[in-house]
Amino acid sequence: MDSALHNEHFNAMASFFNHVGITIDTAPRNVASYRFLAYDPDAYFNDGAQTFEKTLTNERALIKPEVQTISSEANQNSVWQIFNRHADFNVIHNILLEAGWQYHSTKGEKIRYTRPEKDPRNGLSAEYHTRLKTFFVFSSEAPKAQFFINKGGGSACDIVVQYAAHGDKKRAYQIIKSNL
């Protein structure tokens, strides 16, 4: 493990645990934070354990959302609705990373981000709620901040329109349709 990439390793591990249903405390993320283990007389030590070397940046993969078969008669409005209901988090996450957002941490169902050009150590700028499939921006300096702040949070489609299609709804529709 590269100590210079501590935050990236920590983020990847937090994401891994979150995907298997385990929520970890992300508050003591500093490499110098104290760590404690409870005494266990039957503790197991794995001599063959491998170092966790993943970082969040090397986990990027465009994964299509899982959606039931859509009839050929699906109209434009239903495509937007279907995407909002079934958008895979990895698709949303990749769009935000490509737009310059930086993964900060995970807390339960909330994936936290720092806005582009801000050091993640200086705090949070937004979060994506995976169950609600809503993107909440709380930094007025973030790109497209007023759009998301005025709406009280944006949908998966809003993320595509604002960050992947740069406001072009026709382009966003094509991106969304190609992911169904």
Side-chain angles (χ1 to χ4, degrees), residues 59-83:
E59 289 186 5
R60 285 181 170 185
L62 187 62
I63 300 171
K64 291 187 176 186
E66 291 181 25
V67 181
Q68 272 82 26
T69 309
I70 301 168
S71 72
S72 58
E73 296 116 30
N75 64 28
Q76 185 171 357
N77 288 334
S78 67
V79 169
W80 295 93
Q81 293 167 353
I82 291 166
F83 186 79

Side-chain angles (χ1 to χ4, degrees), residues 2-3 20 36 54 89 115 129 137:
D2 184 349
S3 62
V20 296
F36 297 95
K54 290 186 180 182
F89 166 70
R115 68 174 168 78
H129 195 290
V137 176

Side-chain angles (χ1 to χ4, degrees), residues 165-179:
H166 309 289
D168 182 342
K169 288 187 179 180
K170 287 182 181 180
R171 174 72 183 122
Y173 178 75
Q174 293 305 317
I175 293 169
I176 288 167
K177 197 167 180 185
S178 72
N179 278 289

Side-chain angles (χ1 to χ4, degrees), residues 19-33:
H19 287 304
V20 296
I22 299 170
T23 302
I24 65 169
D25 183 2
T26 59
R29 66 185 303 108
N30 186 314
V31 71
S33 294

Side-chain angles (χ1 to χ4, degrees), residues 28-45:
R29 66 185 303 108
N30 186 314
V31 71
S33 294
Y34 286 115
R35 305 287 192 264
F36 297 95
L37 295 173
Y39 172 74
D40 182 353
D42 299 317
Y44 170 78
F45 181 80

